[in-house]
Amino acid sequence: MASYILRRVLQGLLVLMAVSFICFCLFRFTGDPVLMLAGKYATQEEREMVRHAYGLDQPTYVQYFKFIGGALHGDFGKSYVSQVDALDTILERFPATFELAMVAMSISFIVGVGLGIVVSIRPKGALAQVFMSGSLLGISMPTFLTGILLVMVCSVWLEILPAFGRGDTVQLGAWRTGLLTVDGWKHIILPALTLSSYQLAVMMRLTRAGMREVMGEEYIKTAWAKGLSPTKVILKHALRNVLIPVVTIAGLSFGELIAFSIVTETIFQWPGMGNLLLTSIFETDQPIIVTYIMLAACIILFINILVDLLYAVLNPKIRYS
Amino acid sequence: MKRLAVIASLVALLALPSLAMAKADLVIATDAPPKSMNPQAYSSDANYSYMSNFFDGLLQRKDGKLAPALATAWERIDALTWKFTLRKGVKFSNGNDFNAEDVKFTFERMKDPKYSRFLNFGNAIADIETPDAYTVIFKTVKPVPWFAETMHQNFIVDKESSLTRDDGDYNTHPIGTGAYIFDEWVKGSYVRMHANPNYWEGEPKYKTVEIRPIVEEATRFAALAGHQVDIVNGVPLTLADRIAKMPNVEMIQRPARRCIYLTVSNKPGTPFADKRVRQALAYAINEDEIIDKVMQGKATKASQIPDKATVGYNADIKRIEYNPEKAKQLLAEAGYADGFEITIAGPNDRYINDEKIAEAVAKYMAKIGLKVKLDVKPKSIFFDETAEFKHPFYLIGWFDGSYDFGRSAEKLLHTWDKEKGMGAYNGAVYSNPAIDDLIVKSSSIVDLAERDKALQNINAMVMEDVAWIPLHYQQDLYAVAKGKNIKFNPRPDRWIVVKEIQ
């Protein structure tokens, strides 16, 4: 097990190196930050001065190794725009994104799996039909449309939930949370629903498919025959096996939710990392963009490893050696 | 698990009372977030707008006119020398006294690329003298006639604290002399501030204010509709009609200073070198239709680039009006009866409906027989390309924060000269030695009336030579919540200076 983890971590490091190199090269060709850094009236001479001050006159590979060297010490450089440490800037936004992804994931997992079970028990029932067609809508509707519709209905027409922002927050050490205030919860509902709509539908369909398959298996029939209660059969015997693919998908998409909740964060002006990334792209703020991509890659790699390990816990038959 | 839940709810209960933070007296939603709280870090109106609440310049603008602020008097002593007399008894929000040392420090820091995006302005200053604590004398490297005209956007920082603070702190926690004192900036969320009780102009009306940048148009509109904000700027054209009909909202429409125009090269060897071709392009464009169809009536026709408030605006200049027949005739006279290939470039995410305007222009060009290519792209790429002189014909917008056409002419019109720093924005490569000469001469004229005349002359000459085809001035749309008795009079520069809101 330990050697497996070690191998995965080493692989992860290689991937990170590749990611950093690719995005570093890419940014050489997208917009010259010097124009922005020197201000709009700067002369050629002043631009050169700035180029030198920021080390942008050095060859790409020198800049790259400098970046890697710094990154190993946790120094990803400073934002071109605000001159604040790039990693700090992003980490400051991390709690907002993490909480949003957590709530969205919880909604889609609990509701999705729940509905999936309900639908699989009476697949021909009217309720099941409604849920199934609803899930099609959830899968096919683009996030921005879901978000805007929710805003239209809940904020503009009904005026029951706020349309933007994070609401009141509480500082707990380094973590700024909105989950401890009523206002914070009010603000998180709409973006979390938006973010979860797709996942929820996927979870539900996955659970349903798995359940229907498992329910026909011999060991379930045995369980019924033994006279076990329906909850025990469904939740303990059937669901446990069904959950393996569901957890995998949930875990993988959690990483994606954190790294790419860009659209939802923009619609709801959620002060998270996705929002920051988009603004940084508009501003050609390369240090932030590169750091963000590195961080996103880290998160996704980490979660992938975690999911694999969770696999083993859920299904003792799987052994990594 | 249960114990954890108990602890969590206890923490929540303890935390709740501390959150009983009163809602701000005034909540403003804007279309652009602040980039930095260092007043010299970013030269955009959006950033100036935030800074103007925490900081003061030596001067300020009231209804577009220069007015005293941290300086009570100013004069141009000779072509290179400017003298400012400072206000006494002003304090920074950290309690430090304001004096000439702070002014000197601020302008010297502008030369440092680590802190400043105003290198060009900073480097234009040769020397700063402070004969006493309340007098500052600037010597410029070359004549800068609009020196005082920019003093409303050069915000003064505190020398003592700035020297000792680290960059991160300096760039996120502003210390100024402004009407408002900074409380908190949660990036991407809000900037919160409270009234400065000792402000030299008197304490402003609203005690606690929140400015919330909401970049997404639909969300900004929803925030307004949901009564979450009191003032909104950047109302999108597409929603204007609906917002105007909302019962709880008043919409304010204001001509903006920014002129949208086409800039044309006159480089020898290209069709554009012939003035008749440039005239033909201007005759081909039906601006009334653009305003009506593309801008939905929310724009004002322009006959020149500077707006009325700018020194150098010339009321006598007449627009070349739409006349496609005349355009074709001129093309034929110039020897292009069969047309030629033309590319119209422009940004697609910078100005109101910029891409659609460019498309309309392309259609008009096609109508007079030119073979048109449209080349619109994101501003971050487009502006780089203009800086590399890649496009001889492109759509762009401009207004001069200094309210001085002389500066615009130097940047946009003067032949590109790397050494002198002239023509840095002359991306289409227009060149006219007679105009260059007049631009340089005008900068040494100390008398304002005379200078205005000289600039008006340059303006008339360039319009006569068709270096530019002005299209329209944009209009700014604001929405204000009704029933709260908010008196908000938008400024032509789009800054939201909260102390002016009554």
Side-chain angles (χ1 to χ4, degrees), chain A residues 61-82:
Chain A
Y61 71 92
V62 175
Q63 291 185 45
Y64 177 69
F65 283 115
K66 265 196 180 159
F67 171 76
I68 290 293
L72 289 176
H73 296 99
D75 173 15
F76 287 83
K78 281 180 178 175
S79 153
Y80 287 158
V81 177
S82 62

Side-chain angles (χ1 to χ4, degrees), chain A residues 31-32 35-37 39-41 43 46 80-83 151 159 162-164 169 176 181 267 269 283, chain B residues 19 35 43 117 119-120 123 167 171 184 187 212-216 219 222-223 227-228 384 407 418 421 425:
Chain A
D32 185 356
L35 285 176
M36 187 267 292
L37 285 168
K40 49 180 159 184
Y41 303 118
T43 60
E46 281 154 354
Y80 287 158
V81 177
S82 62
Q83 299 296 322
V151 168
E159 292 190 25
F164 70 97
T169 50
R176 194 182 185 109
T181 70
I267 295 173
Q269 207 63 38
E283 293 164 349
Chain B
L19 296 164
K35 317 266 190 201
S43 63
R117 297 290 181 276
L119 293 177
N120 193 253
N123 292 335
D167 291 358
N171 289 323
E184 194 185 23
K187 276 184 214 132
R212 293 181 160 268
I214 307 180
V215 184
E216 190 59 31
T219 312
H227 305 283
Q228 287 179 286
D384 286 4
R407 188 169 80 151
K418 193 175 158 177
Y425 267 32

